[in-house]
Amino acid sequence: MGLSVATAARWVRRWERQQQRYAIDREERFTVVADAVEKVTAHQERVCVLDLGCGPGSLAAHLARRLPGADIVAVDKDPVLLALGQAHHGDAVRFVEAPVGAPGWTHVLGLDHPLDAAVSSTALHCLAPDALRRAYQDLAGLLRPGGVLVNSDRFHGPAGDRAAEVAVQVGLRRAERQRTACREDWASWWAAAAADPELADPFSARRARHTPHRTHNGLPLAHHIRLLRRSGFRHAGPVWQFGEDAVLVAVR
């Protein structure tokens, strides 16, 4: 049994609802990311954007709507999320399976043009430090001069930093106020999706590839900024921030 468009749409909608439990002001952050990308691509005849750790393509689809005609490439290592994104978004986004930050991960992207922008949403915090460093170095080589990396994520503060502890509580309170009536969380979404017969093949591929979800690597925002500058980015800093959540922009 194959994956129908209607089934994919249903699971993507449920994904969107449960993700709102974890990302403060998720839609606003998508808008900030798109604003940054639009700024640096305003005078480009051909625009190429790479979405890192794309999941089912929520941010990539947002960018496709904002930038009609742009080449949007979305990369993730999870066959289930990629299958849902491909079925739901169709030709608006080109989906590629690859583990971001692994040795040689850029070879399968099929890029024939320098990137104008690379983006990510609540994904890069899952990379181990070595994989994150490699990803930043590789992206510096793929982006054109003046291109940007725009990363919307949660950045933990240094251990023992009182201000960072306050930021955590501020963010938690904000999330509580914004929380929807959806009771489904990350674990229950995956458990329910695994029981859908139409997703049997993608889940078999997922088990074969051993793609567990990593926890937070614990790296603070300042560490990311230092790492980006060492990797070849000229400027790096947050353009939006609330609590531990921030949108970080780095200019090649």
Side-chain angles (χ1 to χ4, degrees), residues 22-229:
Y22 305 104
I24 297 171
D25 295 322
R26 188 167 183 260
E27 287 303 316
E28 179 181 341
R29 288 158 66 168
F30 279 12
T31 299
V32 172
V33 172
D35 286 345
V37 174
E38 191 174 57
K39 168 67 177 178
V40 301
T41 61
H43 304 294
Q44 296 292 117
E45 292 186 3
R46 180 181 178 186
V47 176
C48 186
V49 181
L50 178 65
D51 183 6
L52 308 161
C54 64
S58 305
L59 177 57
H62 186 101
L63 288 167
R65 291 189 293 270
R66 280 283 296 269
L67 304 168
D71 297 326
I72 309 293
V73 181
V75 58
D76 202 291
K77 68 176 182 177
D78 197 296
V80 173
L81 299 179
L82 290 170
L84 290 172
Q86 183 64 69
H88 184 55
H89 299 299
D91 295 336
V93 177
R94 179 165 66 86
F95 289 89
V96 179
E97 183 178 339
V100 175
W105 70 281
T106 62
H107 297 166
V108 300
L109 297 178
L111 301 176
D112 61 358
H113 191 268
L115 289 174
D116 296 288
V119 301
S120 188
S121 177
T122 56
L124 298 186
H125 70 263
C126 296
L127 297 185
D130 285 346
L132 182 68
R133 174 181 49 79
R134 186 182 298 112
Y136 283 165
Q137 291 173 346
D138 290 340
L139 290 169
L142 293 175
L143 285 161
R144 65 168 172 80
V148 294
L149 168 64
V150 189
N151 180 22
S152 171
D153 212 340
R154 177 163 294 174
F155 303 91
H156 286 346
D161 187 319
R162 180 58 179 164
E165 294 173 5
V166 173
V168 171
Q169 291 303 312
V170 169
L172 288 173
R173 291 294 180 87
R174 174 86 166 202
E176 289 171 358
R177 290 192 293 270
Q178 293 186 344
R179 185 159 294 170
T180 66
C182 179
R183 296 182 179 180
E184 190 166 57
D185 60 11
W186 172 275
S188 60
W189 184 93
W190 281 104
D196 190 325
E198 290 191 37
L199 291 173
D201 288 344
F203 268 98
S204 293
R206 188 176 196 264
R207 288 188 291 269
R209 288 164 178 71
H210 305 290
T211 56
H213 178 69
R214 290 182 56 90
T215 57
H216 203 294
N217 57 30
L219 299 177
L221 182 61
H223 184 97
H224 283 262
I225 292 173
R226 288 195 300 270
L227 193 56
L228 285 161
R229 287 176 174 163

